[in-house]
Amino acid sequence: MLTHQSFLARTYPKTSLFLVLIMFNNTLVTLTLIAAIGSGLVAGVFFAFSTFVMPALARIEPAQGIAAMQSINITAINPLFMLALFGTAVVCLFLAVFALLKSEQPNSTDLLIGSLLYLIGAIGVTIAFNVPLNDALASVKPGSPEGATLWSKYLTNWTLWNHVRTVAALISTLLFTIALGK
């Protein structure tokens, strides 16, 4: 069967570099698509927390809200969510390196900014702000006075940083999608 690549190899037998470039371009498109889907998926999860999960938890008694969020925080550490969150970050690292090395490419700016936004705005904010807040929440007893005091601050601070993560991941998705069209 004659494939596109084998046709090009026969047509340009001395240009195996040409085939490498085609395969590289396919890999770049694939990685960009994975980054767009991954960052979009993560943005959707963050968006859900910002728009209805956290507001719902704020409406119930602090002890119930704390217990529910502690359970969510434990359940969130699962292979599928970790793959989406951190697998997308790994892809973003590759795309950022490509964008820096091939800055003359028409989509390099979109890839670089999208990657940095995801890495700093989604992953960096998660590690620097949301995880420490989750760790502090994990250390309190849901029905304790300390828990109730922490919960009111937690709701405000965690949700604020989650908004930042949501916007960063959403803009990353947009930039990766734009890069696919160039």
Side-chain angles (χ1 to χ4, degrees), residues 104-182:
E104 73 281 355
Q105 295 294 324
N107 62 357
S108 64
T109 301
D110 300 318
L111 293 175
L112 182 61
I113 295 171
S115 295
L116 291 176
L117 262 174
Y118 186 83
L119 292 168
I120 296 166
I123 300 300
V125 167
T126 297
I127 293 168
F129 300 102
N130 294 91
V131 169
L133 289 167
N134 290 342
D135 290 344
L137 188 68
S139 71
V140 299
K141 294 201 184 306
S144 70
E146 299 81 24
T149 302
L150 177 67
W151 182 242
S152 66
K153 294 175 190 169
Y154 179 90
L155 283 169
T156 301
N157 294 331
W158 192 95
T159 305
L160 169 71
W161 289 112
N162 192 66
H163 292 337
V164 172
R165 300 189 304 175
T166 303
V167 170
L170 190 58
I171 294 172
S172 294
T173 303
L174 176 66
L175 289 168
F176 293 136
T177 304
I178 290 169
L180 284 168
K182 291 185 177 178

Side-chain angles (χ1 to χ4, degrees), residues 15-117:
T15 46
S16 58
L17 177 62
F18 188 70
L19 288 176
V20 170
L21 291 174
I22 289 172
M23 289 189 313
F24 179 75
N25 187 50
N26 289 341
T27 302
L28 180 63
V29 169
T30 301
L31 290 175
T32 305
L33 182 60
I34 290 168
I37 292 169
S39 60
L41 180 62
V42 169
V45 171
F46 293 161
F47 180 78
F49 272 86
S50 284
T51 58
F52 59 87
V53 174
M54 297 310 287
L57 293 177
R59 294 176 56 140
I60 60 179
E61 292 296 318
Q64 294 171 325
I66 292 167
M69 193 65 186
Q70 287 173 336
S71 181
I72 289 168
N73 289 339
I74 291 167
T75 308
I77 302 171
N78 69 69
L80 288 177
F81 183 62
M82 293 298 109
L83 178 64
L85 185 67
F86 294 110
T88 301
V90 170
V91 172
C92 286
L93 286 172
F94 283 108
L95 292 175
V97 169
F98 166 81
L100 290 170
L101 295 175
K102 298 288 186 178
S103 60
E104 73 281 355
Q105 295 294 324
N107 62 357
S108 64
T109 301
D110 300 318
L111 293 175
L112 182 61
I113 295 171
S115 295
L116 291 176
L117 262 174

